[in-house]
Structure formats: C-alpha cells, structure tokens
Coordinates of all heavy atoms in Angstrom, one line a residue:
M1 N -88.1 -202.9 112.1 CA -89.0 -203.8 111.7 C -89.1 -203.8 110.1 O -89.2 -202.8 109.6 CB -90.4 -203.5 112.4 CG -91.5 -204.4 112.1 SD -93.1 -203.9 112.8 CE -92.8 -203.9 114.5
E2 N -89.2 -205.0 109.6 CA -89.4 -205.0 108.2 C -90.8 -204.4 107.8 O -91.7 -204.6 108.5 CB -89.3 -206.5 107.7 CG -87.9 -207.0 107.8 CD -87.7 -208.3 107.0 OE1 -88.2 -208.3 105.8 OE2 -87.1 -209.2 107.5
R3 N -90.7 -203.8 106.6 CA -92.0 -203.0 106.3 C -93.2 -203.9 106.2 O -94.3 -203.6 106.6 CB -91.7 -202.4 104.8 CG -92.9 -201.6 104.4 CD -92.5 -200.3 104.0 NE -93.6 -199.5 103.3 CZ -94.4 -198.7 104.1 NH1 -94.1 -198.4 105.3 NH2 -95.4 -198.0 103.5
Y4 N -93.1 -205.1 105.6 CA -94.3 -206.0 105.5 C -94.9 -206.4 106.9 O -96.0 -206.5 107.1 CB -94.1 -207.2 104.6 CG -93.3 -208.3 105.2 CD1 -93.9 -209.3 105.9 CD2 -91.9 -208.3 105.2 CE1 -93.2 -210.3 106.4 CE2 -91.2 -209.3 105.8 CZ -91.8 -210.4 106.4 OH -91.1 -211.3 107.0
V5 N -93.9 -206.5 107.8 CA -94.4 -206.9 109.2 C -95.1 -205.7 109.8 O -96.1 -205.8 110.4 CB -93.1 -207.3 110.1 CG1 -93.6 -207.5 111.5 CG2 -92.5 -208.6 109.5
Y6 N -94.6 -204.5 109.6 CA -95.2 -203.3 110.1 C -96.6 -203.1 109.4 O -97.5 -202.9 110.2 CB -94.3 -202.1 109.7 CG -94.9 -200.8 109.9 CD1 -95.3 -200.2 111.2 CD2 -95.3 -200.0 108.8 CE1 -96.0 -199.0 111.3 CE2 -95.9 -198.8 108.9 CZ -96.2 -198.3 110.2 OH -96.9 -197.1 110.3
L7 N -96.7 -203.2 108.2 CA -98.0 -203.1 107.5 C -99.0 -204.2 108.0 O -100.2 -203.9 108.2 CB -97.8 -203.2 106.0 CG -97.0 -202.1 105.4 CD1 -96.8 -202.2 103.9 CD2 -97.7 -200.7 105.6
R8 N -98.6 -205.4 108.1 CA -99.5 -206.4 108.6 C -100.0 -206.1 110.1 O -101.1 -206.3 110.3 CB -98.8 -207.8 108.6 CG -98.7 -208.3 107.2 CD -98.1 -209.7 107.2 NE -97.8 -210.2 105.9 CZ -97.1 -211.3 105.6 NH1 -96.7 -212.1 106.5 NH2 -96.9 -211.6 104.3
S9 N -99.1 -205.6 110.9 CA -99.5 -205.3 112.2 C -100.5 -204.1 112.2 O -101.4 -204.1 113.0 CB -98.4 -205.0 113.2 OG -97.6 -203.9 112.8
L10 N -100.3 -203.2 111.4 CA -101.1 -202.1 111.2 C -102.6 -202.5 110.8 O -103.5 -202.1 111.4 CB -100.6 -201.1 110.2 CG -101.2 -199.7 110.0 CD1 -101.1 -198.9 111.3 CD2 -100.6 -199.0 108.8
I11 N -102.6 -203.3 109.8 CA -103.9 -203.8 109.2 C -104.5 -204.7 110.2 O -105.8 -204.7 110.4 CB -103.7 -204.5 107.9 CG1 -103.2 -203.5 106.8 CG2 -105.0 -205.1 107.4 CD1 -102.6 -204.1 105.6
T12 N -103.8 -205.6 110.8 CA -104.3 -206.5 111.9 C -105.0 -205.8 113.0 O -106.1 -206.2 113.4 CB -103.3 -207.4 112.4 OG1 -102.8 -208.2 111.3 CG2 -103.8 -208.4 113.5
A13 N -104.4 -204.8 113.5 CA -105.0 -203.9 114.5 C -106.3 -203.3 114.1 O -107.3 -203.3 114.8 CB -103.9 -202.9 115.1
L14 N -106.3 -202.8 112.9 CA -107.5 -202.2 112.3 C -108.6 -203.2 112.2 O -109.7 -203.0 112.5 CB -107.2 -201.5 111.0 CG -106.6 -200.1 111.1 CD1 -106.0 -199.8 109.7 CD2 -107.4 -199.1 111.7
L15 N -108.2 -204.4 111.7 CA -109.2 -205.5 111.5 C -109.8 -205.9 112.8 O -111.0 -206.1 112.9 CB -108.5 -206.7 110.8 CG -109.4 -207.8 110.5 CD1 -110.5 -207.4 109.5 CD2 -108.6 -209.0 109.9
E16 N -109.0 -206.0 113.9 CA -109.4 -206.4 115.2 C -110.3 -205.4 115.8 O -111.3 -205.8 116.5 CB -108.2 -206.7 116.1 CG -107.5 -208.0 115.7 CD -106.2 -208.2 116.5 OE1 -105.9 -207.4 117.4 OE2 -105.6 -209.2 116.3
D17 N -110.1 -204.2 115.5 CA -111.0 -203.1 116.0 C -112.1 -202.7 115.1 O -112.9 -201.8 115.5 CB -110.1 -201.8 116.3 CG -109.1 -202.1 117.4 OD1 -109.3 -203.0 118.1 OD2 -108.1 -201.3 117.4
S18 N -112.2 -203.3 114.0 CA -113.2 -203.0 113.0 C -114.6 -203.5 113.4 O -114.7 -204.4 114.2 CB -112.9 -203.5 111.6 OG -113.2 -204.9 111.6
P19 N -115.7 -202.9 112.8 CA -117.0 -203.4 113.2 C -117.4 -204.5 112.3 O -118.5 -205.0 112.3 CB -117.9 -202.1 112.9 CG -117.1 -201.3 111.9 CD -115.7 -201.6 112.2
L20 N -116.4 -205.1 111.5 CA -116.7 -206.1 110.6 C -117.1 -207.4 111.4 O -116.5 -207.7 112.4 CB -115.6 -206.5 109.7 CG -115.2 -205.5 108.6 CD1 -113.9 -205.8 108.0 CD2 -116.3 -205.5 107.6
T21 N -118.2 -208.0 111.0 CA -118.5 -209.4 111.7 C -118.7 -210.5 110.8 O -118.7 -211.7 111.4 CB -120.0 -209.2 112.4 OG1 -120.9 -208.7 111.4 CG2 -119.9 -208.0 113.5
R22 N -118.6 -210.4 109.5 CA -118.7 -211.5 108.7 C -117.3 -212.2 108.7 O -116.4 -211.7 108.3 CB -118.9 -211.1 107.2 CG -120.3 -210.5 107.0 CD -120.4 -210.3 105.5 NE -121.5 -209.4 105.2 CZ -122.0 -209.2 103.9 NH1 -121.6 -210.0 103.0 NH2 -122.9 -208.4 103.7
E23 N -117.4 -213.4 109.2 CA -116.2 -214.2 109.3 C -115.5 -214.5 108.0 O -114.3 -214.4 107.9 CB -116.5 -215.6 110.1 CG -115.3 -216.3 110.6 CD -114.5 -215.5 111.6 OE1 -115.0 -214.8 112.4 OE2 -113.3 -215.6 111.4
E24 N -116.2 -214.6 106.9 CA -115.7 -214.9 105.6 C -114.9 -213.7 105.2 O -113.8 -213.7 104.5 CB -116.6 -215.3 104.6 CG -117.7 -214.3 104.2 CD -119.0 -214.4 105.0 OE1 -119.0 -215.0 106.1 OE2 -120.0 -213.8 104.6
V25 N -115.3 -212.4 105.5 CA -114.6 -211.2 105.1 C -113.3 -211.1 106.0 O -112.2 -210.8 105.4 CB -115.5 -210.0 105.3 CG1 -114.7 -208.7 105.1 CG2 -116.7 -210.1 104.4
I26 N -113.4 -211.4 107.2 CA -112.3 -211.3 108.1 C -111.2 -212.3 107.7 O -110.0 -212.0 107.6 CB -112.7 -211.5 109.6 CG1 -113.6 -210.3 110.0 CG2 -111.5 -211.7 110.5 CD1 -114.3 -210.6 111.3
E27 N -111.6 -213.5 107.4 CA -110.7 -214.5 106.9 C -110.1 -214.2 105.6 O -108.9 -214.4 105.3 CB -111.4 -215.9 106.8 CG -111.7 -216.5 108.2 CD -110.4 -216.7 108.9 OE1 -109.4 -217.2 108.5 OE2 -110.4 -216.3 110.1
D28 N -110.8 -213.5 104.7 CA -110.3 -213.1 103.4 C -109.1 -212.0 103.6 O -108.1 -212.1 103.0 CB -111.4 -212.4 102.5 CG -112.2 -213.5 101.8 OD1 -111.9 -214.7 101.8 OD2 -113.2 -213.1 101.2
V29 N -109.4 -211.2 104.5 CA -108.4 -210.1 104.8 C -107.2 -210.8 105.4 O -106.0 -210.5 105.0 CB -109.0 -209.1 105.8 CG1 -107.9 -208.1 106.2 CG2 -110.2 -208.3 105.1
R30 N -107.3 -211.7 106.3 CA -106.2 -212.4 106.9 C -105.4 -213.2 105.9 O -104.2 -213.2 105.9 CB -106.7 -213.2 108.0 CG -107.1 -212.4 109.3 CD -107.4 -213.4 110.5 NE -107.7 -212.6 111.6 CZ -108.7 -212.8 112.4 NH1 -109.5 -213.9 112.2 NH2 -109.0 -212.0 113.5
H31 N -106.2 -213.8 105.0 CA -105.5 -214.7 104.0 C -104.7 -213.8 103.0 O -103.6 -214.1 102.7 CB -106.5 -215.4 103.2 CG -106.0 -216.1 102.0 ND1 -105.2 -217.2 102.0 CD2 -106.0 -215.8 100.7 CE1 -104.8 -217.6 100.9 NE2 -105.3 -216.7 100.0
L32 N -105.3 -212.7 102.6 CA -104.5 -211.7 101.7 C -103.2 -211.3 102.3 O -102.2 -211.2 101.7 CB -105.4 -210.6 101.3 CG -106.5 -210.9 100.4 CD1 -107.6 -209.8 100.3 CD2 -105.9 -211.3 99.0
M33 N -103.3 -211.0 103.6 CA -102.0 -210.5 104.3 C -101.1 -211.7 104.4 O -99.8 -211.5 104.3 CB -102.4 -210.1 105.8 CG -103.0 -208.7 105.7 SD -103.1 -208.0 107.5 CE -104.2 -209.1 108.2
S34 N -101.5 -212.9 104.6 CA -100.6 -214.0 104.7 C -99.9 -214.4 103.4 O -98.8 -215.0 103.4 CB -101.3 -215.3 105.2 OG -102.1 -215.8 104.2
V35 N -100.4 -214.0 102.3 CA -99.7 -214.2 101.1 C -99.1 -213.0 100.6 O -98.7 -212.8 99.3 CB -100.7 -214.8 99.9 CG1 -101.2 -216.1 100.4 CG2 -101.9 -213.8 99.7
G36 N -98.9 -211.9 101.4 CA -98.1 -210.7 101.0 C -98.9 -209.7 100.2 O -98.3 -208.7 99.6
E37 N -100.2 -209.7 100.3 CA -101.1 -208.7 99.6 C -101.7 -207.8 100.6 O -102.9 -207.7 100.7 CB -102.2 -209.5 98.9 CG -101.7 -210.3 97.7 CD -101.2 -209.6 96.5 OE1 -101.5 -208.3 96.4 OE2 -100.6 -210.2 95.7
E38 N -100.9 -207.0 101.3 CA -101.3 -206.1 102.3 C -102.2 -205.0 101.8 O -103.2 -204.7 102.4 CB -100.1 -205.4 103.1 CG -99.3 -206.4 103.9 CD -98.3 -207.3 103.2 OE1 -98.0 -207.0 102.1 OE2 -97.9 -208.3 103.8
E39 N -101.8 -204.4 100.6 CA -102.7 -203.3 100.1 C -104.0 -203.9 99.7 O -105.1 -203.2 100.0 CB -102.0 -202.7 98.8 CG -100.7 -202.0 99.1 CD -99.5 -202.9 99.2 OE1 -99.6 -204.1 99.0 OE2 -98.3 -202.3 99.4
L40 N -104.1 -205.1 99.1 CA -105.4 -205.6 98.7 C -106.2 -206.0 100.0 O -107.4 -205.8 100.0 CB -105.2 -206.9 97.9 CG -106.4 -207.6 97.3 CD1 -107.4 -206.5 96.5 CD2 -106.1 -208.7 96.4
A41 N -105.5 -206.5 101.0 CA -106.2 -206.8 102.3 C -106.8 -205.6 102.8 O -108.1 -205.6 103.3 CB -105.2 -207.4 103.2
F42 N -106.1 -204.4 102.9 CA -106.6 -203.2 103.4 C -107.8 -202.8 102.6 O -108.9 -202.3 103.1 CB -105.5 -202.2 103.5 CG -106.0 -200.9 104.0 CD1 -106.3 -200.7 105.3 CD2 -106.0 -199.7 103.2 CE1 -106.7 -199.5 105.9 CE2 -106.5 -198.5 103.7 CZ -106.7 -198.4 105.1
Y43 N -107.6 -202.8 101.3 CA -108.8 -202.3 100.3 C -110.0 -203.2 100.6 O -111.1 -202.7 100.6 CB -108.2 -202.4 98.9 CG -109.3 -202.0 97.9 CD1 -109.5 -200.7 97.6 CD2 -110.1 -203.0 97.3 CE1 -110.5 -200.3 96.7 CE2 -111.1 -202.6 96.4 CZ -111.3 -201.2 96.1 OH -112.2 -200.8 95.2
T44 N -109.8 -204.5 100.7 CA -110.9 -205.4 100.9 C -111.7 -205.0 102.2 O -112.8 -205.0 102.3 CB -110.4 -206.9 101.0 OG1 -109.8 -207.1 99.7 CG2 -111.6 -207.8 101.2
M45 N -110.9 -204.8 103.2 CA -111.5 -204.5 104.5 C -112.3 -203.2 104.4 O -113.4 -203.1 104.9 CB -110.4 -204.3 105.6 CG -111.0 -204.0 107.0 SD -109.6 -203.9 108.2 CE -108.8 -202.4 107.6
C46 N -111.7 -202.2 103.8 CA -112.3 -200.9 103.7 C -113.6 -201.0 102.8 O -114.7 -200.4 103.0 CB -111.4 -199.8 103.1 SG -110.1 -199.4 104.2
S47 N -113.5 -201.8 101.7 CA -114.6 -202.0 100.8 C -115.9 -202.5 101.5 O -117.0 -202.2 101.3 CB -114.3 -202.9 99.7 OG -113.3 -202.3 98.9
W48 N -115.6 -203.5 102.4 CA -116.7 -204.2 103.2 C -117.3 -203.3 104.2 O -118.4 -203.4 104.5 CB -116.3 -205.5 103.7 CG -116.3 -206.6 102.7 CD1 -115.3 -207.2 102.0 CD2 -117.5 -207.1 102.1 NE1 -115.7 -208.1 101.0 CE2 -117.2 -208.1 101.1 CE3 -118.9 -206.9 102.3 CZ2 -118.0 -208.8 100.3 CZ3 -119.8 -207.6 101.5 CH2 -119.4 -208.5 100.6
L49 N -116.4 -202.4 104.8 CA -116.9 -201.4 105.7 C -118.0 -200.6 105.0 O -119.1 -200.3 105.5 CB -115.8 -200.5 106.3 CG -114.9 -201.2 107.2 CD1 -113.7 -200.3 107.5 CD2 -115.6 -201.6 108.6
Y50 N -117.6 -200.2 103.8 CA -118.5 -199.3 103.1 C -119.7 -200.1 102.5 O -120.9 -199.6 102.7 CB -117.8 -198.6 101.9 CG -118.7 -197.6 101.2 CD1 -118.8 -196.3 101.8 CD2 -119.2 -197.9 100.0 CE1 -119.6 -195.3 101.2 CE2 -120.1 -196.9 99.4 CZ -120.2 -195.7 100.0 OH -121.0 -194.8 99.4
E51 N -119.5 -201.2 102.0 CA -120.5 -202.1 101.4 C -121.6 -202.3 102.4 O -122.8 -202.3 102.2 CB -120.0 -203.4 100.9 CG -121.0 -204.3 100.2 CD -121.5 -203.8 98.8 OE1 -120.8 -202.9 98.2 OE2 -122.5 -204.1 98.5
D52 N -121.2 -202.7 103.7 CA -122.2 -203.0 104.7 C -122.6 -201.8 105.5 O -123.3 -201.9 106.5 CB -121.5 -204.1 105.7 CG -121.4 -205.5 105.1 OD1 -122.0 -205.7 104.0 OD2 -120.7 -206.3 105.6
A53 N -122.1 -200.6 105.1 CA -122.5 -199.4 105.7 C -122.4 -199.4 107.3 O -123.2 -199.1 108.0 CB -123.9 -199.0 105.4
L54 N -121.2 -199.9 107.8 CA -120.9 -200.1 109.1 C -120.4 -198.7 109.7 O -119.5 -198.1 109.2 CB -119.8 -201.2 109.3 CG -120.3 -202.5 108.8 CD1 -119.1 -203.5 108.9 CD2 -121.5 -203.0 109.6
S55 N -121.0 -198.3 110.8 CA -120.6 -197.1 111.5 C -119.2 -197.2 112.0 O -118.8 -198.3 112.6 CB -121.6 -196.8 112.6 OG -122.8 -196.5 112.1
I56 N -118.4 -196.2 112.0 CA -117.1 -196.1 112.5 C -116.9 -194.8 113.3 O -117.6 -193.8 113.0 CB -115.9 -196.2 111.4 CG1 -116.1 -195.1 110.4 CG2 -116.0 -197.6 110.8 CD1 -115.0 -195.1 109.3
T57 N -116.0 -194.7 114.3 CA -115.8 -193.6 115.0 C -114.8 -192.7 114.2 O -114.1 -193.2 113.3 CB -115.1 -193.9 116.4 OG1 -113.9 -194.5 116.1 CG2 -116.0 -194.9 117.2
S58 N -114.8 -191.4 114.6 CA -113.8 -190.5 113.9 C -112.3 -191.0 114.2 O -111.5 -190.8 113.4 CB -114.0 -189.1 114.3 OG -113.9 -188.9 115.7
S59 N -112.0 -191.5 115.5 CA -110.7 -191.9 115.8 C -110.4 -193.2 114.8 O -109.2 -193.2 114.4 CB -110.6 -192.2 117.2 OG -111.3 -193.2 117.6
Y60 N -111.3 -194.0 114.6 CA -111.0 -195.2 113.8 C -110.8 -194.7 112.4 O -109.9 -195.2 111.7 CB -112.2 -196.2 113.9 CG -111.9 -197.4 113.2 CD1 -111.1 -198.4 113.7 CD2 -112.5 -197.8 111.9 CE1 -110.8 -199.7 113.0 CE2 -112.2 -198.9 111.2 CZ -111.3 -199.9 111.8 OH -111.1 -201.0 111.0
Y61 N -111.6 -193.7 111.9 CA -111.4 -193.2 110.6 C -110.0 -192.6 110.4 O -109.4 -192.8 109.4 CB -112.5 -192.2 110.3 CG -112.3 -191.5 108.9 CD1 -112.6 -192.3 107.8 CD2 -111.8 -190.3 108.8 CE1 -112.4 -191.6 106.5 CE2 -111.6 -189.7 107.6 CZ -111.9 -190.4 106.4 OH -111.7 -189.8 105.2
K62 N -109.5 -191.9 111.4 CA -108.2 -191.3 111.3 C -107.1 -192.4 111.3 O -106.2 -192.2 110.5 CB -108.0 -190.4 112.6 CG -108.8 -189.2 112.6 CD -108.6 -188.4 113.9 CE -109.5 -187.2 113.8 NZ -109.5 -186.5 115.2
R63 N -107.4 -193.5 111.9 CA -106.4 -194.6 111.8 C -106.4 -195.2 110.4 O -105.5 -195.6 109.9 CB -106.8 -195.7 112.8 CG -106.5 -195.3 114.2 CD -107.0 -196.3 115.3 NE -106.5 -197.6 115.2 CZ -107.0 -198.7 115.6 NH1 -108.2 -198.7 116.3 NH2 -106.4 -199.9 115.4
L64 N -107.6 -195.3 109.8 CA -107.7 -195.7 108.4 C -107.0 -194.8 107.5 O -106.3 -195.3 106.5 CB -109.2 -195.9 107.9 CG -110.0 -197.0 108.6 CD1 -111.5 -196.8 108.3 CD2 -109.5 -198.3 108.2
V65 N -107.1 -193.5 107.7 CA -106.5 -192.5 106.9 C -104.9 -192.7 107.0 O -104.2 -192.7 105.9 CB -106.9 -191.1 107.2 CG1 -106.0 -190.0 106.5 CG2 -108.3 -190.9 106.9
F66 N -104.5 -192.9 108.2 CA -103.0 -193.1 108.4 C -102.6 -194.3 107.7 O -101.5 -194.3 107.0 CB -102.7 -193.2 109.9 CG -101.3 -193.5 110.3 CD1 -100.4 -192.5 110.3 CD2 -100.9 -194.8 110.5 CE1 -99.0 -192.8 110.5 CE2 -99.6 -195.1 110.8 CZ -98.7 -194.0 110.8
A67 N -103.3 -195.4 107.8 CA -102.9 -196.7 107.2 C -103.0 -196.5 105.7 O -102.0 -197.0 104.9 CB -103.9 -197.8 107.6
A68 N -103.9 -195.8 105.1 CA -104.0 -195.6 103.7 C -102.8 -194.9 103.3 O -102.2 -195.1 102.1 CB -105.2 -194.9 103.3
D69 N -102.3 -193.8 104.0 CA -101.1 -193.1 103.7 C -99.9 -194.0 103.7 O -99.1 -193.9 102.8 CB -100.9 -191.9 104.6 CG -101.9 -190.8 104.4 OD1 -102.6 -190.8 103.3 OD2 -102.1 -190.0 105.3
E70 N -99.8 -194.8 104.7 CA -98.7 -195.8 104.8 C -98.6 -196.7 103.8 O -97.5 -197.1 103.3 CB -98.7 -196.5 106.2 CG -98.4 -195.7 107.5 CD -97.0 -195.2 107.5 OE1 -96.1 -196.0 107.6 OE2 -96.8 -194.0 107.4
L71 N -99.8 -197.2 103.3 CA -99.9 -198.2 102.2 C -99.8 -197.6 100.9 O -99.6 -198.2 99.8 CB -101.2 -199.0 102.4 CG -101.2 -200.0 103.5 CD1 -102.6 -200.3 103.9 CD2 -100.5 -201.2 103.2
G72 N -100.0 -196.2 100.8 CA -100.0 -195.6 99.5 C -101.3 -195.9 98.7 O -101.2 -195.9 97.5
T73 N -102.4 -196.1 99.4 CA -103.6 -196.4 98.8 C -104.8 -195.5 99.2 O -105.7 -196.0 99.9 CB -104.0 -197.9 99.1 OG1 -104.2 -198.0 100.5 CG2 -103.0 -198.9 98.5
P74 N -104.7 -194.3 98.8 CA -105.8 -193.3 99.3 C -107.1 -193.7 98.8 O -108.1 -193.4 99.3 CB -105.3 -192.0 98.8 CG -104.4 -192.3 97.7 CD -103.7 -193.6 98.0
E75 N -107.2 -194.4 97.6 CA -108.5 -194.8 97.1 C -109.2 -195.8 98.0 O -110.5 -195.8 97.9 CB -108.4 -195.4 95.7 CG -107.7 -196.7 95.6 CD -106.2 -196.7 95.7 OE1 -105.6 -195.6 95.8 OE2 -105.7 -197.8 95.8
S76 N -108.5 -196.5 98.8 CA -109.1 -197.5 99.7 C -110.1 -196.8 100.7 O -111.1 -197.5 101.1 CB -108.1 -198.2 100.5 OG -107.2 -198.9 99.7
I77 N -109.9 -195.6 101.1 CA -110.7 -195.0 102.1 C -111.7 -194.0 101.6 O -112.5 -193.4 102.3 CB -109.9 -194.3 103.2 CG1 -109.0 -193.3 102.6 CG2 -109.1 -195.4 104.1 CD1 -108.4 -192.3 103.6
R78 N -111.8 -194.0 100.3 CA -112.8 -193.0 99.6 C -114.2 -193.3 100.1 O -114.6 -194.6 100.1 CB -112.6 -193.2 98.1 CG -113.3 -192.1 97.3 CD -113.0 -192.2 95.9 NE -113.1 -193.6 95.4 CZ -114.1 -194.0 94.6 NH1 -115.1 -193.2 94.2 NH2 -114.1 -195.3 94.2
K79 N -114.9 -192.3 100.5 CA -116.3 -192.3 101.0 C -116.4 -193.0 102.4 O -117.5 -192.9 102.9 CB -117.1 -193.1 100.0 CG -117.3 -192.5 98.7 CD -118.3 -193.2 97.8 CE -118.5 -192.6 96.5 NZ -119.6 -193.2 95.8
L80 N -115.3 -193.5 103.0 CA -115.5 -194.0 104.4 C -115.9 -192.9 105.4 O -116.4 -193.2 106.5 CB -114.3 -194.8 104.8 CG -114.1 -196.1 104.1 CD1 -112.9 -196.7 104.7 CD2 -115.3 -196.9 104.1
D81 N -115.6 -191.6 105.1 CA -115.9 -190.5 106.0 C -117.4 -190.5 106.1 O -117.9 -189.9 107.1 CB -115.4 -189.2 105.5 CG -115.8 -188.8 104.1 OD1 -116.2 -189.7 103.3 OD2 -115.8 -187.6 103.8
E82 N -118.2 -191.0 105.2 CA -119.7 -191.1 105.3 C -120.2 -192.0 106.4 O -121.3 -191.9 106.8 CB -120.3 -191.5 104.0 CG -119.9 -190.6 102.8 CD -120.5 -191.2 101.4 OE1 -121.1 -192.2 101.4 OE2 -120.1 -190.6 100.4
L83 N -119.3 -192.8 106.8 CA -119.7 -193.8 107.8 C -119.4 -193.4 109.3 O -119.8 -194.1 110.2 CB -119.0 -195.2 107.6 CG -119.1 -195.8 106.3 CD1 -118.2 -197.0 106.1 CD2 -120.6 -196.2 106.0
I84 N -118.8 -192.2 109.4 CA -118.5 -191.8 110.8 C -119.7 -191.5 111.6 O -120.7 -190.8 111.0 CB -117.6 -190.4 110.7 CG1 -116.3 -190.8 110.0 CG2 -117.4 -189.9 112.2 CD1 -115.4 -189.6 109.8
E85 N -119.8 -192.0 112.8 CA -120.9 -191.9 113.7 C -121.1 -190.4 113.9 O -120.3 -189.6 114.1 CB -120.7 -192.5 115.0 CG -120.5 -194.0 114.9 CD -120.0 -194.6 116.2 OE1 -119.5 -193.8 117.1 OE2 -120.2 -195.8 116.4
G86 N -122.5 -190.0 113.9 CA -122.8 -188.6 114.1 C -123.0 -188.2 115.4 O -122.7 -188.0 116.5

C-alpha cells in the first residue's frame, strides 16, 4: 500500500472514531487529506480535540500516539493525555 493511502486510512479511522462533532472541523480534516496534507490533517484533528477539551479513552489515545509516530509528528499529540477519561 502506498504510504499516503496508508496514512489517510489511519487518520480517517481516527477521525471516524473521534469525539469531534463540529462538521466544519471534520470537513477541514477530510479536505486536508484530499490535498495530500496528512500531517496537517492529523494536527488539526488533535488540536480541536484539545481545544474543545473532548474526553478520549486510553485506547484511543494509544492510537493517536501510534499515528503521531507513523506521521513523525509527536507535537500533534502534546497534552492530549490530559483528555483521557478518568
């Protein structure tokens, strides 16, 4: 599988399972992926998770960590561990 296809599928799965509800944010992430900006799409998704203080599960957080490693963007998930449900 080509790398960009792999990254898009990884981000798409995370987006679909995310607690994000703002349609404009979801569309922004999808648009960024459609123009080849996978890293920016992931960063945008993570930024809005944090900005909206949306609770995430520890398993979802682990998936975000994995994606950040795959994308080479560890800064994208900075502080997201604060959102893990207690």
Side-chain angles (χ1 to χ4, degrees):
M1 181 184 300
E2 289 193 43
R3 180 134 176 93
Y4 76 93
V5 174
Y6 166 69
L7 294 175
R8 284 184 190 173
S9 67
L10 186 65
I11 297 166
T12 298
L14 285 165
L15 182 61
E16 289 173 359
D17 294 341
S18 80
L20 291 169
T21 57
R22 291 191 202 190
E23 194 57 40
E24 64 271 15
V25 173
I26 294 167
E27 288 303 314
D28 282 349
V29 172
R30 288 186 178 138
H31 172 74
L32 288 166
M33 284 190 294
S34 74
V35 296
E37 294 288 346
E38 289 80 15
E39 293 87 356
L40 185 54
F42 182 70
Y43 180 82
T44 300
M45 181 178 68
C46 292
S47 294
W48 280 106
L49 289 170
Y50 188 78
E51 182 72 25
D52 288 348
L54 300 171
S55 294
I56 57 175
T57 64
S58 61
S59 63
Y60 186 77
Y61 176 72
K62 288 175 187 173
R63 290 172 59 200
L64 291 170
V65 170
F66 177 79
D69 288 343
E70 288 293 295
L71 289 157
T73 59
E75 71 281 354
S76 296
I77 58 166
R78 193 170 46 104
K79 296 187 178 185
L80 290 184
D81 60 334
E82 296 173 10
L83 303 176
I84 298 173
E85 299 170 338

